[in-house]
Amino acid sequence: MPLPSIATPKTVLASVIVALGLLGAMAWGAVTVLDYDDTIERAERDSRQAAALLDGHAQAVLEGGSAALVPIVNRIEQAGLARWAESGLDDALAAPGPNSLSILDASGRVVFGPAVTFDGDGFGGLSEGTETSRRRTTLVSAGLAGDERVILLVRRLYRADGSLDGAVLAGVPVAALTPVLNAFGDGLQRSAGLFRPDGTRLSGFGAEALGHLPPLAPGGEAVETDWRIGDAPPAQAGASILGLKRMRDLPVVSAVSVPRATVLAPWNMRLQRGLAVAMTGFLALLGLSWVGLTSLRREAAVRRDLTDSKARLEQRVEERTADLRAVNHKLIRALEEKERANQAKGRFLSAANHDLRQPFQALRLFHHLLMERLKEPRDRSIAEKMGEALDAGEKLLHALLEVATLDAGVVRPEIANVPVAAVLNDVAGEFQTAAAEKGLRLRVMPCALSVRTDRAMLTRMLRDLVRNAVAFTPSGRVTLGCRRHGQWLRIEVWDTGSGIPSEQLDNIFEDFVQLGNPERDRRQGLGLGLAKVRRKAALLGHAVEVRSRFGIGSVFAVSAPVVIPERAPEPAIPEEGGEAPADAERLILVVEDDPVQRSGMLLLLESWGHRVMEAADGEAAVALVRDAEEKPDLIVTDFRLPGRLTGVQVVTRVGELLEQAVPGIILTGDTAPERIREAVATGCRLLHKPFTPDRLRGALAAVIAERSGARAVHRQTAA
């Protein structure tokens, strides 16, 4: 079986042109047919509405005359026309009525009023139903009342034996209807008139008679879309669109007609224009096809040139790709080496941070005990030097801890309305002495605004910025001030120091980056101050910016949202009475696997007047509490313990064993973010090693105070 041939571009182009031509012809034909139907339908609607409006106006004119005939006919029939004539018709008909009123006898002779001339067959030719139905029917005809053209409204008079006695006629001047008829017809493009049901015209424009009209009930309406008068062929009488409406109480039909030729004239014009547009489009399509064929020939030539160029380009791309692949491999290896170095550095810092805290903590506890026991000034001086060395080491560890805590996401800012002036004055007061020793002028610009922030964290951020400004400004001044920008307040720290090179402005916020301190002199800081400022600003949603001109000075700014200062709440007055003071004797369970630290902790707590229970691991601590007669008031435990239980689990197990929550203080030297989050989630207080005895005493006092407050609330609730 032969394979089907592939269509050439010329074949495709020809097919597209034919398809477009067919689609265009079909679309144009469909639109033309729809336009024709819409034109006829709109003409039918207009004719029906015009007939209804004509009927309404004519009915208001004619029904007044018809209603005036009724009482006159009734009065004459009561005594008979002859007796009414003898008694004097002028006096009897003096009551208000139609302008043209005539009375005829049975032979059609006028016995009262102006002479009347009927069109057509005259008085005897009036017909509307049977003779019985005529007794109470107003008949309609056209004619003359005197010299005036009128529409005659006729009511027949009958004797007591049912024979015809005469008729009463009311002539309505055609002139009264002329303005209405002129509004609905002009006699040329549209005809309007009033007709009898047999098609005879009473008034209006157009044909004298419409022929046999379709039967209409009183108040009925109809539309004839192809109406021709009588049986005349189309060559003699053109078709019209005829709207009909019959009056409810009179045998009168309102008719409005429009020749179909007049209705379709705009459509014929649109048809001719559409044909012209279609022909123009077809010619344009042929022109485009010729242009397309020409373009195909040119495209074939260009395609051959492109094929040759593509081959040459692909060869060059392959050569360059091979070079880039080699460079990428080198970059990937370099990035992998950097990532391994970062991971190794992180593991080293975490392990070193944890392992260094253990001996530092033991040294701090024993140094505190040693200072309390030494009396000789020389011995105390040596111990104080040892304390300074411990302080330097702990400062580094605490800086690492603060960075790790911020990275762990466990810090929860306490957002409030903070007056900026108070924060600036506090920070400036802290560094006034250091600035004065260097001969610097430390100035605070007044600021009466407040910002929405965490006061403690904002104070630490500004403290780090001012510390750097004082440290790296050899002479001149350091200025603290504010600038408002819309809803934000820029808290700025200006200095006249040596400035920062522009290429280093982004690097100074990285960890352990110090410009101008390649020897890493710890007296010039650790290189973590600006890194902590950046982390705290991100946590608070504030922006940190820096501008600097090398050799002139720098400006560091923290942007915080401005708020209206709120009135500070009045301090609560503590209630008298309550639990025992925080430094009262307590029974404390100490869980620590390091015997040196456990020994130092026992000595320290006992020196504060507390009683101590000790255990080396979690299982031993739980067993000790289970067997002891007296239960511990709180637990001080290391986070990492040998065995299956951690310090957090020990606090939980002891609480379950005693069937009540036991407050706990978790001691840890681990600064990993996940460890910090796990410890904070327990609700226990967290102390990072190394810590000072004063911090431990403050934590004990806070835990005891919280427990005492909880018991007081419980007693009030129970009461």
Side-chain angles (χ1 to χ4, degrees), residues 398-417:
H398 284 308
L400 293 173
L401 171 62
E402 187 174 3
V403 172
T405 304
L406 292 171
D407 290 339
V410 300
V411 177
R412 297 293 181 265
E414 297 180 2
I415 304 299
N417 294 347

Side-chain angles (χ1 to χ4, degrees), residues 127-182:
S127 62
E128 175 68 18
T130 64
E131 189 66 29
T132 302
S133 64
R134 295 177 188 173
R135 295 179 64 91
R136 295 292 180 256
T137 303
T138 300
L139 304 179
V140 182
S141 181
L144 296 174
D147 296 331
E148 185 177 14
R149 190 72 183 173
V150 294
I151 296 176
L152 296 173
L153 305 177
V154 183
R155 290 292 297 266
R156 294 193 176 192
L157 300 173
Y158 292 89
R159 301 184 182 94
D161 59 0
S163 60
L164 180 64
D165 194 17
V168 180
L169 290 74
V172 178
V174 173
L177 296 172
T178 300
V180 177
L181 294 172
N182 289 336

Side-chain angles (χ1 to χ4, degrees), residues 42-84:
R42 185 166 56 251
E44 293 175 357
R45 183 173 62 252
D46 293 343
S47 297
R48 181 186 291 108
Q49 292 175 354
L53 291 173
L54 177 58
D55 175 79
H57 289 285
Q59 187 173 355
V61 175
L62 297 180
E63 284 188 349
S66 177
L69 294 177
V70 175
I72 298 174
V73 170
N74 291 337
R75 293 174 64 184
I76 294 175
E77 285 185 341
Q78 289 178 1
L81 181 59
R83 295 189 61 183
W84 267 78

Side-chain angles (χ1 to χ4, degrees), residues 379-534:
D379 296 337
R380 290 185 63 85
S381 175
I382 296 175
E384 288 173 356
K385 294 295 183 181
M386 182 176 68
E388 293 177 1
L390 285 175
D391 291 339
E394 288 179 359
K395 182 182 295 185
L396 174 61
L397 289 178
H398 284 308
L400 293 173
L401 171 62
E402 187 174 3
V403 172
T405 304
L406 292 171
D407 290 339
V410 300
V411 177
R412 297 293 181 265
E414 297 180 2
I415 304 299
N417 294 347
V418 178
V420 177
V423 176
L424 296 182
N425 291 332
D426 291 345
V427 174
E430 183 177 348
F431 291 96
Q432 283 289 357
T433 302
E437 291 176 353
K438 294 187 65 174
L440 301 177
R441 180 185 178 189
L442 181 57
R443 182 184 179 189
V444 178
M445 304 300 294
C447 180
L449 298 176
S450 297
V451 293
R452 190 76 177 164
T453 185
D454 183 302
R455 178 165 183 167
M457 296 182 69
L458 178 63
T459 302
R460 295 192 191 102
M461 294 166 63
L462 296 178
R463 183 184 296 128
D464 288 333
L465 295 178
V466 174
R467 180 184 294 108
N468 285 350
V470 172
F472 295 102
T473 302
S475 62
R477 65 183 181 277
V478 175
T479 305
L480 281 71
C482 301
R483 295 176 185 269
R484 182 168 183 174
H485 293 272
Q487 297 300 319
W488 293 87
L489 185 69
R490 287 169 51 91
I491 306 174
E492 300 177 341
V493 179
W494 294 66
D495 66 61
T496 57
S498 57
I500 304 169
S502 58
E503 65 274 9
Q504 296 291 342
L505 289 178
D506 293 333
N507 298 332
I508 59 175
F509 290 98
E510 299 296 331
D511 296 340
F512 300 106
V513 172
Q514 284 184 297
L515 303 181
N517 187 22
E519 63 276 6
R520 302 297 300 175
D521 184 359
R522 64 178 177 82
R523 290 174 297 178
Q524 299 185 27
L526 304 173
L528 291 174
L530 293 179
K532 291 188 293 182
V533 170
R534 183 191 60 182

Side-chain angles (χ1 to χ4, degrees), residues 697-716:
R697 172 176 284 185
L700 289 173
V703 169
I704 294 171
E706 289 176 359
R707 188 176 186 188
S708 301
R711 288 178 178 175
V713 171
H714 176 71
R715 287 198 304 271
Q716 294 175 4

